[in-house]
Amino acid sequence: MTSPLVLIIDDEPDILELLDMTLRRMNMRTRSATTLAAALDMLREERFDLCLTDMRLPDGDGMMVVRHIQQNCPSLPVAMITAYGSLDTAITALKAGAFDFLTKPVDLQRLRELVSSALRLSSKAEPEPDTAVDDPILGLSAPIQQLRGQIAKLARSQAPLYISGESGSGKELVARRIHALGPRASHPFVPVNCGAIPSELMESEFFGHRKGSFTGAVSDKPGLFQAAKGGTLFLDEVADLPMAMQVKLLRAIQEKAVRPVGTQQEETVDVRLLCATHKDLAAEVAAGRFRQDLFYRINVIELSVPPLRKRREDIPLLARHILTQLAGRNGLPAPKLTSACLEQLCNYRFPGNVRELENTLERAFTLCEGNVIDAEDILLSDIASSSEENLSLGDIDSLEDYLDDIERRAITQALEETRWNKTAAAKRLGLTFRSLRYRLKKLGMED
């Protein structure tokens, strides 16, 4: 088997020699170019498995290399080499399609990790025959087809990615799919709900700790960054991070290193960071609740997941898939949906998105008679339907009861999303823990 071929573009002899020597020790073949013109000629003449390019070249810059590769050989991973501290340049390169970046002076361990990851990506350049079959993101609507195309493209990059979308729209599913299609698929995918970790434990949970560093630390413990080594760390509800933790996360992203609690030694970490929240992160920045510099670092590229109401034509397919899964788990045949039932589902706005569809069908699956689910078996919330602009006061017998229903629904959703962690649910709703306890008691929801 022929060893991989790497194109190195840099006009500094010392850098060329260092990269060439390191790659050859990794059993790679190399070609070197000291100008943009020479590099473009080589790219036209030979097929490479990886390209490493300096930002500054005598007759151009590395961005021209990135754009040329994107247009002419998009399956070729290209990494940018930038001066230390030039993160803005690196982010520009990532947005233009670069796979990853290195800073000078080049860290050889980081270089080896980048090359290994890029070559795994290069080997996946040809689509696998079962990719479509295994796709967990269901739907044939235009928004989903567009999302699927964006996922395939973004899976090839190592750029930090911000996944936006409403609660229940499937942000974690999208993150898992990006991981599965990328070069890190054989390494861990570690999902974290930032709103469910007590603030006093966050630093230890994220970065790990050493034995004896605090009361209860009876042994060394790796953090979430270490657990995701070589893979993907998915930070869900990142807007819920307290300010002090935002500072530490920013440093970890910039330095690609973390410092476990109880030690002065930093550990390098090789992870791809994916973040998500149902909140408007730009609005959180404007309100002073989220650091602007962290926002720029995690929001190199934004991927928006469409709400279910924007792809109603996918509801029948999703509903049948959900019922098939429910039937399989319960050892029963999958019930059929009547046309009246499907019409009712397709006309509903689903403010809770796919998660609400799943909950609705699970109730119907449990309560329906026979093996058929009809319109009357679907208990859709009148609250969400009447929250439209054409709200009919005739639907409201008591304003107090109506508002209590809205409050009960919001609290239930927050509790479900935080796995019934009341502290995290209160934070999600913008309430104090005491205020949430009061409301739970008032609404008859207290245990």
Side-chain angles (χ1 to χ4, degrees):
M1 181 178 176
T2 307
S3 56
L5 182 60
V6 182
L7 174 60
I8 308 168
I9 311 169
D10 202 304
D11 63 339
E12 293 183 43
D14 290 347
I15 295 288
L16 279 178
E17 184 178 356
L18 176 66
L19 296 178
D20 179 73
M21 187 184 307
T22 305
L23 293 172
R24 288 183 183 278
R25 285 176 179 168
M26 295 177 70
N27 197 30
M28 313 275 172
R29 295 175 297 138
T30 66
R31 299 282 186 275
S32 299
T34 57
T35 65
L36 174 64
L40 297 182
D41 285 342
M42 289 182 180
L43 285 166
R44 293 186 194 101
E45 293 167 3
E46 293 189 81
R47 184 187 180 281
F48 292 92
D49 297 289
L50 171 63
C51 175
L52 302 173
T53 180
D54 190 22
M55 182 60 193
R56 294 184 178 180
L57 298 169
D59 55 342
D61 61 42
M63 291 301 301
M64 299 172 79
V65 177
V66 174
R67 294 191 187 100
H68 174 87
I69 287 174
Q70 283 295 298
Q71 292 174 3
N72 298 283
C73 34
S75 63
L76 172 61
V78 53
M80 181 73 74
I81 304 171
T82 68
Y84 181 77
S86 302
L87 276 173
D88 289 340
T89 302
I91 287 172
T92 302
L94 290 170
K95 287 183 175 179
F99 164 74
D100 207 341
F101 68 92
L102 288 166
T103 55
K104 294 179 179 179
V106 174
D107 181 294
L108 295 185
Q109 179 58 33
R110 171 87 182 104
L111 170 64
R112 293 186 193 99
E113 290 169 351
L114 183 151
V115 170
S116 298
S117 188
L119 292 178
R120 287 196 299 271
L121 175 63
S122 193
S123 68
K124 295 181 75 169
E126 296 301 321
E128 299 171 13
D130 61 348
T131 295
V133 176
D134 294 339
D135 190 353
I137 297 172
L138 301 176
L140 298 172
S141 62
I144 283 297
Q145 298 280 32
Q146 182 182 9
L147 178 67
R148 201 174 276 123
Q150 290 172 321
I151 287 171
K153 182 177 180 181
L154 294 173
R156 299 182 57 78
S157 169
Q158 293 301 289
L161 182 63
Y162 167 50
I163 304 171
S164 61
E166 297 177 6
S167 290
S169 57
K171 297 186 291 296
E172 182 173 335
L173 193 67
V174 168
R176 287 183 181 275
R177 185 61 175 164
I178 289 169
H179 172 77
L181 291 179
R184 297 176 177 267
S186 60
H187 291 83
F189 175 88
V190 179
V192 185
N193 186 331
C194 296
I197 303 175
S199 57
E200 64 273 14
L201 296 178
M202 272 194 175
E203 188 173 359
S204 169
E205 287 294 312
F206 274 88
F207 308 140
H209 63 248
R210 292 289 179 263
K211 179 180 178 180
S213 56
F214 55 86
T215 304
V218 295
S219 61
D220 290 356
K221 179 191 172 186
L224 294 163
F225 270 87
Q226 292 94 329
K229 183 179 179 181
T232 302
L233 182 61
F234 174 56
L235 302 184
D236 197 7
E237 299 307 342
V238 70
D240 291 344
L241 287 173
M243 277 291 181
M245 191 61 208
Q246 290 179 31
V247 176
K248 292 180 171 67
L249 178 60
L250 177 63
R251 176 175 172 77
I253 295 170
Q254 290 177 333
E255 302 298 326
K256 295 184 183 291
V258 299
R259 181 181 298 165
V261 177
T263 179
Q264 297 301 312
Q265 297 292 322
E266 286 197 331
E267 299 177 7
T268 58
V269 287
D270 172 31
V271 300
R272 185 182 187 188
L273 194 66
L274 305 181
C275 297
T277 180
H278 74 283
K279 295 181 180 178
D280 182 338
L281 209 49
E284 293 295 300
V285 172
R289 291 187 291 268
F290 200 83
R291 290 181 63 97
Q292 187 175 54
D293 47 7
L294 179 58
F295 174 66
Y296 287 142
R297 292 294 176 253
I298 67 173
N299 189 28
V300 171
I301 300 171
E302 181 176 352
L303 178 62
S304 178
V305 181
L308 189 54
R309 65 181 174 276
K310 297 288 187 183
R311 55 182 189 107
R312 296 179 196 238
E313 58 266 48
D314 290 332
I315 289 176
L317 175 64
L318 287 165
R320 293 186 183 103
H321 174 75
I322 292 166
L323 288 173
T324 299
Q325 285 191 318
L326 286 168
R329 287 201 295 267
N330 290 277
L332 296 169
K336 293 181 173 56
L337 295 161
T338 65
S339 56
C341 173
L342 278 173
E343 182 179 0
Q344 187 166 327
L345 288 173
C346 292
N347 288 332
Y348 180 64
R349 284 181 61 83
F350 282 104
N353 293 292
V354 179
R355 186 183 293 120
E356 184 180 1
L357 176 62
E358 289 172 342
N359 293 339
T360 298
L361 291 173
E362 188 164 9
R363 284 196 301 269
F365 178 86
T366 305
L367 299 173
C368 72
E369 296 292 334
N371 202 36
V372 175
I373 296 177
D374 206 349
E376 57 264 26
D377 299 315
I378 298 291
L379 304 177
L380 296 174
S381 169
D382 292 332
I383 299 165
S385 300
S386 60
S387 64
E388 303 272 316
E389 292 177 6
N390 59 349
L391 170 66
S392 171
L393 293 179
D395 295 333
I396 302 176
D397 295 322
S398 160
L399 178 61
E400 188 171 343
D401 289 345
Y402 172 73
L403 295 175
D404 281 350
D405 282 342
I406 292 176
E407 191 170 5
R408 186 178 289 107
R409 179 185 177 83
I411 290 173
T412 300
Q413 181 175 330
L415 287 167
E416 286 176 349
E417 289 181 10
T418 57
R419 296 185 176 91
W420 297 88
N421 181 317
K422 291 177 183 175
T423 302
K427 193 172 182 181
R428 178 73 57 84
L429 293 165
L431 301 172
T432 63
F433 181 75
R434 181 177 293 181
S435 180
L436 176 62
R437 288 290 300 273
Y438 168 77
R439 283 172 162 79
L440 287 169
K441 189 173 182 179
K442 184 188 76 168
L443 296 169
M445 299 172 68
E446 189 63 274
D447 296 338

